[in-house]
Amino acid sequence: MDTQLEIPGVARLATGPCGLPRYEITTPLAEAHIYLHGAHVSHFVPARQAPVLFMSSQSQFQPGRPIRGGVPVIFPWFGPREGFPSHGFARISSWTPESLVQKPGGEVVLTLRLEPDDKARAEWPGSWVLHFRVTVGTALTMELEIENTGSELLRAQDTLHTYFLVQDVRNVSVSGLEGAEYYDQLDRMQLKHQPAEPIRFTGETDRDYINTTSACVIEDPGLRRRIVVEKSGSQSTVVWNPWIAKSKAMPDFGDNEWPHMVCVESGNVFDNTLEIAPGARHISRTLLRTEPI
Ligand code: TA6
């Protein structure tokens, strides 16, 4: 672990709960925590605002286990896979700090790197390098760069599986996906159409929207804010709330936490699986910002 990558008084490599190393970034614009485990952004608070990200009080912070909340980095597959970790291995891998800079405007940019080890190669053929760039300012920007360093086409799925903090999901709407097609994870992956209206939550919701490049807006009257989720390099958006029964079934998620979160995830899944030519690279980028209402 390279402890040289620090900015005194701004960004330091500290130790989080359960002893996992994490960058703690504190500036007049915002504060954030980013674990080397999974390159996982666990905390983001713009100055004078409520936290933007949800983190379960029951989350585990240990090698080999995903963190439940914040922004899991999903690669190279989305969803369950018999005999393999759900949502791929990137979010349970140890990433390496590559660079840390502060821009003239005060934003801090941390870049982390992941290359395949033998286990990863066995689980997913191909040669690749990931760079994950996090820019902490009044907005939070995350860029997952996937470079195909091999001689064969690289197929992969990715999402930035962001858990947003809301006051009560029953009063929240998500707009931006009107008219888009989605696979309904709760109805045998049937392909459906989102009506020309925002998404509202009246039960477990688990939808994989495809062929959509739209920004999404989470309207949260309870916290008197909207969260804008802008994206590029992403054709898919996943929307998820586990509601009551699924929350009880997740040991690393509190039974009564479901009203306070919604996942709106930017990436490329199913029909939008990435195909990256040898030597090429793809960047999936998402920018999170808040507006008062
Ligand atoms: O992104 C939604 C989803 O695919 C849901 O089906 C749910 O399983 C969620 O991801 C969490 O998955 P995880 O493997 O982190 O428990």
Side-chain angles (χ1 to χ4, degrees), residues 251-265:
D252 59 348
F253 189 90
D255 291 358
N256 302 315
E257 291 186 316
W258 60 269
H260 308 302
M261 54 72 67
V262 64
C263 283
V264 177
E265 311 159 31

Side-chain angles (χ1 to χ4, degrees), residues 68 78 86-87 91 161 163 185 206 238 240 246 265:
R68 178 70 68 191
F78 176 83
S86 170
H87 285 327
R91 67 173 178 169
H161 190 302
Y163 288 70
Q185 291 260 9
D206 195 349
V238 177
W240 178 55
K246 177 124 192 200
E265 311 159 31

Side-chain angles (χ1 to χ4, degrees), residues 3-13 23-28 100-102 108:
T3 52
Q4 276 70 49
L5 284 181
E6 298 201 348
I7 304 173
V10 173
R12 69 187 186 111
L13 195 52
Y23 270 93
E24 296 180 354
I25 295 170
T26 306
T27 79
L100 176 67
V101 297
Q102 186 165 29
V108 173

Side-chain angles (χ1 to χ4, degrees), residues 266-288:
S266 308
N268 299 281
V269 301
F270 303 130
D271 305 39
N272 303 134
T273 296
L274 297 171
E275 295 191 341
I276 306 172
R281 56 188 71 199
H282 176 87
I283 297 177
S284 295
R285 177 179 182 274
T286 189
L287 180 149
L288 316 178

